[in-house]
């Protein structure tokens, strides 16, 4: 099961001391931009500010995912956490006071760990300066922080020795001297002009972590021409990506690290209609504005950023100063939200030092194309051709309203994508290829905002990997035994698994009690649920049938249904339009790391094929170094279904399997699957799939079969699903052991060439 995320490098624990607040439609006060921006300029751990190049090299060859250690600690819980020893896990604590309540300072004196202290509040800094104990630990900026590291060099040296090799431990003193030298002569560094566009700053913060402190250059942030914001953002991503370029062809101790490229963290902010309604309803209930001003508030909340310059535009004709002020205040609410998402993007980037991209905020311009997938509308328009046409319309429209430079970067560089968005970004089509096919996509819903931080917090504290014994810890549950089709598919999957000798367990559950018992008794690491899903507005949100009862989010949390990897073979378990209270979110709240959910209603046949394919392929992938992580494995299983989707469409039209040339089929299909596995050939595999399928048929059937496939009257399987969570952080043990050096708290004395 889960294990605590082990530190390979001596971590610096950043504790954000704040008053308790509620997070709802707007970002929480405790996670403000001032404090998070300061954290981003500080090192993630003590090695990083002394041995930046060795640090990055060790992270790669040991497959280390050690993010910034940021913990939110509310002022009313400090006493309890001190008593439990919660502040004693790291060599260095940094207390960041976002509260003006200084009582925790007295409590934190009891913690034996070395500490530094900072605050954005002047009165708190004055209180610290007047304190004989804390005065020496106060810092206000990055330079002062590093100066404290040098000032406490003897204690820091002693803390670092156990974490590095004997050879490298001799260099700690020299590294501290070099740090002191650079702090004393900052003017000797080359001054480089950088864009002040906020998403660019996130990438420069990551660059700062890669080469910390900035020894080669002194950044000078300058205002970027608005028309060049998108290209400046891509340029900043390229600078981050360049650090991974040395991995191409790199071998170390007989291992190849060419596939160790970090994922791209992609933020795609969006105005879902439901959130806008909630904000307007809240303002209406408070009766703080007239109908006219509510209208201007609505305009501000729904305002979109321009595709090329990220600027919100307004025609002020006929508007009063009060109207414009209301509009500006509403726009600022969205700006605060995007600012928070940027900061969360940095925290999620810190696991693998990923490049960060942010699209312009959109809303109504996409709602037209999303409207057919509103659940009530979908039931009226859900014939296959309409669904596929609407999917393509959304994908093409999304492509047209986002910057070309970002699209080109994603198409040419990105292998894995961690998307922060409520949009079905998997449907985005770049050069005609859906993003879900082009890349391994994981998605973190933007709504509710708390979930983005919760995903970071969970994955920074615990980690989970796919072991060779994963199938012995797999549980498949049938929650709709009253549906003959679902039960038959479940039994077929079970029988096929037993024929393969799979140790996966299969259980039929007729109520919630049986489901909870099955999970608690089996303690699965992989849970697959075959059933019916539904969505209803209100507290329950999306739900799953479990026999004669309904599985809801509160039940999952209250009964501690905690499973690392969950696959929901049920309809509409992750509906679009920024819906809250989804069953997938409830699994995360209960402790899951990865949840494969559905955008749309799926057929029993599709769910059967995917479940069988996952269980069958997992028996090989868990024993052979094929996939680096769960995101790669799941995406490959869904992506390669395109070949079978086409074959099954031909079968429905009367061209059955026995009409295929067996020898060609068994040769061409795996060749095409291999081509689709690698990022460099994935786009061409997408374009060649139809020809690959047709080449398995006798020449006399090829024309008829081509006409059938040209009708495009089937929806590829991978467009029904969304992979939620950080599946990219779930490594396969066999891959780590075969492709990387063992994890150990030792810094390797080698720099990238």
């Amino acid at each position: 099961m889960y294990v605590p995320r082990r530190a390979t490098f001596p971590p610096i624990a950043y504790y954000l001391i704040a008053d308790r607040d509620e997070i709802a439609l707007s970002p929480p006060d405790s996670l403000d931009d001032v404090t998070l921006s300061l954290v981003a300029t500080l090192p993630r751990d003590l090695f990083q500010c002394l041995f930046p190049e060795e640090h990055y090299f060790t992270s790669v060859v040991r497959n280390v995912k050690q993010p910034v250690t940021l913990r939110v600690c509310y002022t009313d819980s400090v006493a309890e956490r001190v008593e439990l020893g919660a502040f004693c896990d790291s060599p260095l604590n940094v207390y960041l006071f976002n509260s003006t309540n200084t009582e925790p300072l007295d409590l934190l004196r009891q913690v034996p760990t070395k500490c530094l202290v900072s605050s954005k509040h002047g009165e708190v800094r004055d209180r610290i300066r007047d304190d004989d104990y804390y005065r020496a630990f106060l810092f206000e900026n990055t330079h002062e922080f590093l100066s404290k590291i040098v000032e406490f060099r003897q204690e820091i040296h002693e803390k670092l020795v156990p974490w590095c090799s004997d050879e490298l431990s001799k260099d700690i003193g020299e590294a501290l001297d070099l740090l002191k030298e650079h702090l004393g002569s900052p003017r000797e560094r080359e001054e480089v002009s950088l864009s002040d566009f906020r998403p660019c700053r996130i990438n420069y913060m990551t660059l700062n972590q890669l080469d910390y402190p900035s020894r080669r250059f002194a950044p000078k942030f300058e205002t970027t021409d608005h028309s060049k914001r998108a290209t400046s953002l891509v340029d900043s991503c390229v600078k981050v990506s360049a650090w991974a370029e040395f991995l191409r062809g790199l071998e170390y101790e007989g291992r190849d690290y060419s596939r160790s490229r970090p994922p791209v963290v992609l933020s795609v902010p969006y105005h879902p209609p439901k959130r806008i309604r909630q904000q307007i309803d809240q303002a209406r209930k408070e009766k703080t504005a007239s109908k006219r001003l509510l209208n201007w508030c609505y305009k501000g909340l729904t305002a979109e950023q321009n595709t090329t310059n990220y600027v919100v535009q307004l025609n002020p004709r006929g508007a009063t100063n009060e109207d414009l002020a209301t509009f500006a205040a509403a726009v600022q609410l969205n700006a605060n939200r995007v600012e928070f998402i940027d900061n969360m993007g940095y925290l999620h980037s810190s696991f693998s030092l990923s490049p960060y991209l942010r699209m312009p905020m959109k809303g109504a311009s996409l709602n037209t194309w999303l409207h057919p997938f509103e659940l009530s509308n979908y039931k009226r328009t859900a014939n296959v051709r309409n669904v596929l046409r609407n999917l393509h319309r959304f994908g093409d429209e999304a492509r047209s309203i986002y910057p070309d430079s970002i699209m080109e970067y994603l198409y040419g560089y990105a292998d894995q994508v961690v998307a922060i968005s409520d949009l079905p970004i998997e449907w985005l089509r770049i050069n005609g290829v859906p993003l879900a096919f082009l890349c391994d996509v994981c998605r973190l819903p933007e709504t509710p905002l708390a979930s983005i931080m919760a995903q970071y917090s969970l994955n920074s504290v615990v980690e989970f990997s796919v072991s060779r014994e994963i199938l012995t810890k797999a549980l498949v549950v049938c929650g709709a035994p009253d549906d003959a089709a679902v039960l038959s598919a479940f039994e077929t999957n079970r029988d096929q698994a037993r024929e393969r000798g799979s140790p996966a367990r299969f259980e039929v559950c007729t109520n919630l009690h049986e489901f909870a018992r099955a999970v608690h008794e089996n303690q699965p690491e992989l849970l697959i649920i075959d059933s019916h899903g539904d969505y209803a507005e209100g507290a329950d949100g999306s739900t799953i049938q479990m026999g004669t009862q309904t599985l809801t989010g509160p039940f999952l949390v209250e009964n501690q249904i905690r499973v690392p990897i969950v696959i929901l073979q049920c309809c509409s378990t992750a509906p679009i339009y920024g819906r809250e209270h989804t069953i997938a979110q409830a699994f995360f709240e209960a402790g899951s790391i990865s949840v494969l959910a559905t955008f749309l209603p799926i057929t029993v046949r599709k769910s059967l094929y995917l479940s069988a394919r996952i269980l069958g392929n997992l028996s090989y992938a868990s024993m052979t170094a094929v996939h680096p992580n769960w995101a790669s494995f799941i995406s490959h299983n869904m992506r390669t279904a395109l070949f079978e989707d086409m074959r099954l469409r031909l079968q429905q039209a009367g061209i059955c399997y026995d009409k295929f040339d067996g020898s060609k089929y068994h040769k061409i299909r795996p060749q095409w699957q291999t081509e689709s596995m690698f990022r460099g050939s994935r786009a061409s595999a997408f374009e060649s799939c139809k020809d690959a399928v047709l080449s398995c048929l006798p020449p006399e059937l090829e024309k008829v079969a081509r006409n059938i496939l040209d009708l495009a009257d089937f929806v590829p399987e991978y467009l029904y699903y969304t992979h939620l969570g950080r599946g990219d952080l779930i490594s396969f043990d066999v891959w780590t052991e075969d492709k990387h050096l063992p994890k150990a708290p030792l810094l390797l004395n080698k720099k990238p060439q």
Side-chain angles (χ1 to χ4, degrees), residues 371-400:
H371 189 64
F373 300 104
E374 171 71 41
L375 293 180
S376 58
N377 296 327
Y378 185 83
K379 295 174 183 178
R380 298 194 302 268
T381 61
N383 72 65
V384 174
R385 289 191 181 181
N386 281 345
V387 171
L388 188 62
R389 182 173 65 250
N390 290 329
L391 281 167
H392 286 176
R393 282 177 175 174
F394 171 83
D396 293 336
E397 181 65 17
R399 167 64 186 88
S400 69

Side-chain angles (χ1 to χ4, degrees), residues 31 36 340-349 420 452-453:
L31 293 167
L36 290 175
F340 175 80
I341 292 172
D342 281 344
N343 285 324
M344 293 300 101
Y346 170 73
L347 293 179
H348 280 281
S349 294
I420 302 174
I452 313 174
M453 181 65 184

Side-chain angles (χ1 to χ4, degrees), residues 459-471:
N459 284 284
S460 66
V461 173
V462 301
E463 60 182 323
F464 171 78
S465 61
V466 178
S467 70
R468 289 176 172 82
E469 296 76 35
I470 182 68
L471 286 176

